[in-house]
């Protein structure tokens, strides 16, 4: 059985957990110096949003050694993504904790949530 593409799946009213590659280069001030990886994810994200779904995004950034490190936060990526999509991108300060759960639970169709760096988790 051939695998379905994202365009073939009914996402209306559903929350889609999407793994993306937002491992973008940052300067010393935490500014994104090349946003191509974010731009490459836009068609998939927009596909879900345009068909009535919501998107929960997860990515890594850098190598923070399994512990939170502000230097590797995905917060600047959430801002850049929001600018590119022209929508607010909600940001969870954790990946599997209370903030992520609360934000994911209340996410509505057409909304985007970016979870904090998955490499902040030791596992």
């Amino acid at each position: 059985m051939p695998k379905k593409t994202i365009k073939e799946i009914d996402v209306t009213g559903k929350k889609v957990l999407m793994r993306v590659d937002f491992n973008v280069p940052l300067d010393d001030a935490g500014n994104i110096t090349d946003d191509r990886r974010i731009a490459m994810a836009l068609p998939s994200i927009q596909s879900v949003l345009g068909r009535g779904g919501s998107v929960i995004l997860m990515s890594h950034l850098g190598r923070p050694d399994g512990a939170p490190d502000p230097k590797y936060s995905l917060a600047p990526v959430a801002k850049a993504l929001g600018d590119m999509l022209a929508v607010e991108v909600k940001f969870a300060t954790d990946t599997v904790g209370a903030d992520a759960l609360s934000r994911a639970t209340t996410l509505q169709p057409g909304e985007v949530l970016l979870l904090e760096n998955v490499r902040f988790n030791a596992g």
Side-chain angles (χ1 to χ4, degrees):
M1 177 182 291
K3 292 182 182 179
K4 291 184 178 183
T5 68
I6 195 167
K7 292 178 183 176
E8 297 171 308
I9 298 171
D10 179 17
V11 296
T12 306
K14 297 178 182 169
K15 296 174 185 170
V16 176
L17 179 63
M18 187 181 298
R19 177 70 157 96
V20 290
D21 182 3
F22 287 165
N23 190 28
V24 296
L26 303 172
D27 64 18
D28 291 338
N31 300 307
I32 298 168
T33 60
D34 183 346
D35 64 6
R36 283 182 285 185
R37 290 181 178 196
I38 301 169
M40 294 298 292
L42 292 178
S44 295
I45 297 166
Q46 290 167 325
S47 173
V48 172
L49 297 177
R51 292 180 296 123
S54 58
V55 183
I56 302 169
L57 301 167
M58 54 190 288
S59 181
H60 77 275
L61 177 63
R63 297 193 181 274
D65 296 324
D69 183 340
K71 176 180 171 183
Y72 298 111
S73 176
L74 284 167
V77 174
K79 168 91 171 74
L81 179 61
D83 291 345
M84 290 178 173
L85 289 171
V87 300
E88 176 191 5
V89 172
K90 299 175 185 303
F91 182 70
T93 58
D94 55 22
T95 304
V96 294
D99 192 39
L101 179 61
S102 172
R103 291 178 186 271
T105 301
T106 60
L107 202 63
Q108 297 298 308
E111 293 184 333
V112 180
L113 170 64
L114 176 60
L115 304 177
E116 184 56 279
N117 192 339
V118 297
R119 287 192 175 165
F120 285 1
N121 298 312

